[in-house]
């Protein structure tokens, strides 16, 4: 019993001691009327807490002008409701440059606004606001400076990245310089960001790199139309939990990455064990995106219970030749998509157009990707585009209702399954497939008239099974098959009573299709 009392006493003492280390930045000389730069005051508060083993840095209501904040282990930033940290747009304040990662390439660059390196047990919390004041950064990044004198920041970047710049960052050499991420912990453990509002990021907003056990909960991110201001980009991390967030940004809302090309393969650190749930995404290029920087692999990802309303795309997985890496074991379920401007679902292995090449470490791969319980309204239901030398493999769509202008377009893929899917495009086929093998369509429902097109349009499709499909409006043709490589297509137990011609075979072997009652 005595040992139990001692344990309780020690636990209580530890809690009280920790609670006493709540350091108010005003006590260190910070001004909450934005009249003076608070960078030094915040740094001193963090140093004092760190020397004591950790603590909470408290920002009471008001507006704070600051440069970069570097967190240490066991430090919490608590930003009270009514408090706003407004980050300086003086680029000199983010020097000296620090080890960073920029779009999947290891670099030395401007300090991120909130940065941590090899720290653990760090947290950013509260109901306050972080304002990145990004307009000046956006403008400078978009200026074409090829024929202009190098700025002092460019010169410093070039000096520190001589072995990186040209081979790994093509296209950016001739543009201003690399903007820093807003929040970037690197090689950290036990990272938590919750409750806060973030706006006007200079570049990617929340960008953990090589971290383990990351929780992002109840965060609101608002960036206006602006270049590359992604919302949450956990890259090469493990055990990531993103929930209850509201995101509207200038690029992708949530993106999962693991490094780019040579640099990503060298680090060889996958993004794995991620859960994304209960989030809403509004403006953005994509709702939840994987890639295109995925050279270190992306594995074991669950995305569920989210709403995308007004994004350009919903679920998007993208890569290109040269990336290498594997995307596999992805589960997406219980998603509502509205007002999608382009595709609801995209799996694209030719994000950058390149010529076919032999399979090597440069060749990416997509496999074991499963999507279910999705409703979508927008431009196109889905687009799958594999590589000739490495088709997309083992993808399933089940229990879906797609009300879109066009249906699914599937290319260079194998082992694709549709089960209990309703597709009602206003034009074109419900499913078009080119150079696809092992296609299974079971329980397709449609009430579309297809504007003269067939419900299914296949070109060079091998080994397909189409069963239990229901056509609910009169149409001319159910399946149009073409291509001299088309073979072994079996139609069975489909309700085609409203179809004028079940089959139309053009430029394909006559025995390629078998129609059974």
């Amino acid at each position: 019993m005595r040992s139990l009392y001692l344990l309780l006493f020690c636990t209580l003492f530890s809690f009280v001691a920790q609670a006493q280390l709540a350091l108010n930045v005003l006590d260190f000389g910070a001004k909450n009327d934005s009249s003076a730069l608070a960078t030094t005051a915040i740094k001193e508060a963090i140093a004092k807490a760190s020397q004591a083993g950790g603590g909470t840095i408290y920002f009471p209501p008001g507006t704070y002008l600051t440069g970069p904040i570097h967190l240490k282990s066991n430090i919490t930033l608590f930003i009270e409701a009514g408090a706003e940290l407004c980050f300086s747009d003086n680029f000199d304040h983010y020097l000296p440059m620090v080890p960073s990662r920029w779009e999947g390439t290891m670099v030395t660059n401007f300090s991120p606004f909130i940065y941590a390196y090899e720290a653990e047990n760090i947290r950013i919390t509260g109901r306050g606001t972080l304002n990145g004041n990004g307009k000046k950064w956006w403008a400078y990044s978009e200026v074409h400076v090829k024929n202009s004198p190098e700025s002092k920041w460019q010169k410093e970047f070039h000096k520190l990245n001589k072995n990186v710049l040209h081979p790994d960052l093509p296209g950016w050499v001739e543009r201003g310089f690399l903007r820093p991420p807003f929040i970037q912990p690197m090689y950290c453990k036990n990272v938590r960001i919750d409750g806060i509002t973030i706006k006007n990021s200079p570049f990617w907003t929340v960008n953990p790199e090589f971290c383990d056990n990351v929780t992002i909960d109840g965060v609101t991110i608002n960036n206006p139309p602006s270049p590359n201001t992604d919302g949450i980009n956990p890259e090469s991390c493990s055990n990531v939990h993103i929930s209850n967030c509201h995101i509207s940004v200038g690029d992708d809302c949530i993106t999962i990455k693991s490094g780019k090309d040579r640099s990503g393969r060298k680090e060889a650190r996958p993004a794995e064990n991620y859960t994304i749930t209960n989030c809403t995404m509004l403006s953005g290029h994509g709702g939840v995106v994987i890639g295109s920087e995925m050279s270190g692999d992306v594995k074991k990802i669950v995305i569920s219970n989210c709403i995308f309303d007004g994004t350009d795309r919903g679920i998007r997985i993208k890569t290109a030749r040269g990336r290498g890496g594997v995307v596999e074991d992805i589960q997406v379920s219980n998603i509502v998509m509205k007002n999608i401007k382009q595709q609801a679902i995209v799996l694209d292995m030719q994000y950058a157009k390149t010529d076919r090449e032999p399979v090597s470490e440069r060749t990416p791969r997509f496999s074991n990707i499963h999507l279910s319980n999705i409703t979508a309204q927008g431009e196109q239901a889905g687009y799958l585009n594999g590589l000739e030398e490495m088709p997309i493999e083992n993808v399933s769509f089940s229990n879906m209702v797609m009300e879109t202008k066009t249906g699914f377009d599937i290319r260079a893929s194998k082992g694709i399954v549709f089960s209990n899917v309703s597709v009602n495009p206003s034009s074109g086929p419900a499913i078009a497939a080119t150079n696809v093998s092992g296609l299974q369509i079971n329980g397709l429902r449609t009430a579309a008239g297809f504007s003269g097109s067939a419900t299914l349009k296949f070109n060079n499709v091998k080994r397909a099974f189409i069963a239990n499909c229901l056509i609910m409006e009169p149409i001319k043709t159910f399946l149009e098959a073409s291509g001299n490589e088309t073979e072994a297509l079996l139609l069975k137990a489909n309700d085609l009573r409203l179809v004028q011609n079940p089959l139309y075979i053009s430029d394909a072997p006559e025995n390629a299709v078998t129609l059974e009652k």
Side-chain angles (χ1 to χ4, degrees), residues 161-184:
N161 295 277
K162 291 180 179 178
N163 297 324
V164 176
L165 190 61
H166 290 280
D168 297 317
L169 295 168
W172 292 102
V173 178
E174 297 176 355
R175 298 171 74 178
F177 48 70
L178 305 186
R179 293 159 287 154
F182 202 136
I183 301 174
Q184 189 182 67

Side-chain angles (χ1 to χ4, degrees), residues 414-436:
K414 62 182 181 180
I416 309 300
V417 177
F418 289 85
S419 178
N420 191 32
V421 173
S422 175
V423 186
N424 296 301
S426 54
S427 65
I431 300 173
T434 303
N435 297 325
V436 174

Side-chain angles (χ1 to χ4, degrees), residues 380 382-386 392 397 407-418 428-441 444 453-466 478-487 489 504 506 508:
Q380 184 176 22
Y383 178 64
L384 279 65
N385 187 28
I392 295 169
F397 304 93
F408 285 88
D409 184 0
I410 306 171
R411 307 177 187 185
S413 303
K414 62 182 181 180
I416 309 300
V417 177
F418 289 85
I431 300 173
T434 303
N435 297 325
V436 174
S437 64
L439 174 62
Q440 181 177 330
I441 301 172
L444 173 70
S453 177
T455 306
L456 307 175
K457 190 171 183 179
F458 293 175
N459 179 254
N460 289 330
V461 172
K462 301 177 182 179
R463 297 179 299 282
F465 179 65
I466 301 114
F478 178 62
L479 171 63
E480 179 181 333
S482 64
N484 55 21
E485 296 182 17
T486 296
E487 65 180 28
L489 310 185
Y504 175 75
S506 170

Side-chain angles (χ1 to χ4, degrees), residues 199-436:
K199 62 183 182 181
N200 300 321
S201 178
F203 180 57
W204 292 357
T205 306
V206 179
N207 180 212
E209 298 278 0
F210 308 108
C211 294
D212 180 55
N213 191 19
V214 176
T215 299
I216 303 168
D217 183 34
V219 170
T220 297
I221 300 175
N222 284 312
N223 295 324
S226 47
N228 313 107
T229 53
D230 297 39
I232 301 173
N233 290 16
E235 189 168 9
S236 294
C237 295
S238 57
N239 307 311
V240 174
H241 319 87
I242 301 171
S243 59
N244 308 310
C245 293
H246 178 77
I247 303 171
S248 182
V249 292
D251 206 319
D252 295 324
C253 294
I254 296 177
T255 305
I256 303 168
K257 299 174 180 288
S258 64
K260 180 179 179 182
D261 298 353
R262 185 183 72 163
S263 181
R265 294 193 297 271
K266 179 181 178 182
E267 298 300 320
R269 178 84 174 262
E272 60 183 343
N273 298 344
Y274 288 27
T275 60
I276 299 170
T277 190
N278 298 342
C279 295
T280 56
M281 289 79 156
L282 302 182
S283 178
H285 291 180
V288 178
V289 178
I290 298 175
S292 65
E293 303 89 4
M294 40 63 69
S295 302
D297 299 343
V298 176
K299 303 179 178 182
K300 293 171 286 185
I301 309 295
V302 174
I303 303 162
S304 66
N305 303 333
C306 292
I307 295 173
F308 310 146
D309 190 352
T311 57
D312 291 352
R313 303 165 190 85
I315 298 294
R316 187 183 190 190
I317 305 177
K318 56 182 179 176
T319 188
R321 293 182 177 97
R323 291 283 186 268
V326 174
V327 175
E328 64 182 5
D329 299 328
I330 314 297
Q331 294 274 355
V332 181
S333 64
N334 300 337
I335 307 293
V336 174
M337 306 185 197
K338 290 289 186 180
N339 305 308
I340 302 300
K341 297 180 179 65
Q342 297 184 36
Q343 300 91 5
I345 298 166
V346 183
L347 279 66
D348 189 3
M349 300 183 74
Q350 299 189 53
Y351 176 61
K353 302 305 179 184
T354 53
D355 295 329
R356 181 172 182 168
E357 61 182 56
V359 174
S360 69
E361 66 172 4
R362 291 168 44 84
T363 308
R365 183 161 62 89
F366 290 175
S367 67
N368 298 328
I369 299 168
H370 306 288
L371 304 98
S372 63
N373 300 317
I374 294 174
T375 62
Q377 174 269 321
E379 185 68 25
Q380 184 176 22
Y383 178 64
L384 279 65
N385 187 28
L387 301 174
E388 295 173 87
E389 67 273 22
M390 186 62 69
I392 295 169
E393 290 188 71
N394 300 330
V395 178
S396 69
F397 304 93
S398 60
N399 302 323
M400 299 168 64
V401 177
M402 315 298 280
E403 301 287 343
T404 52
K405 291 183 180 179
T406 59
F408 285 88
D409 184 0
I410 306 171
R411 307 177 187 185
S413 303
K414 62 182 181 180
I416 309 300
V417 177
F418 289 85
S419 178
N420 191 32
V421 173
S422 175
V423 186
N424 296 301
S426 54
S427 65
I431 300 173
T434 303
N435 297 325
V436 174

Side-chain angles (χ1 to χ4, degrees), residues 16 26 64 87 115 130 209 241 276 286 355 423:
V16 172
L26 299 180
Y64 302 82
F87 285 81
Y115 180 66
L130 303 176
E209 298 278 0
H241 319 87
I276 299 170
D355 295 329
V423 186

Side-chain angles (χ1 to χ4, degrees), residues 69-73 98-101 106-107 114-120 122 184-189 209-211:
I69 298 172
H70 288 198
L71 297 180
K72 299 180 183 295
S73 292
V98 299
S100 183
R101 204 186 207 188
M106 304 303 295
V107 294
I114 299 180
Y115 180 66
Y117 194 90
E118 295 183 345
E120 60 183 341
I122 59 176
Q184 189 182 67
M186 295 189 70
Y187 305 103
C188 294
K189 293 182 180 180
E209 298 278 0
F210 308 108
C211 294

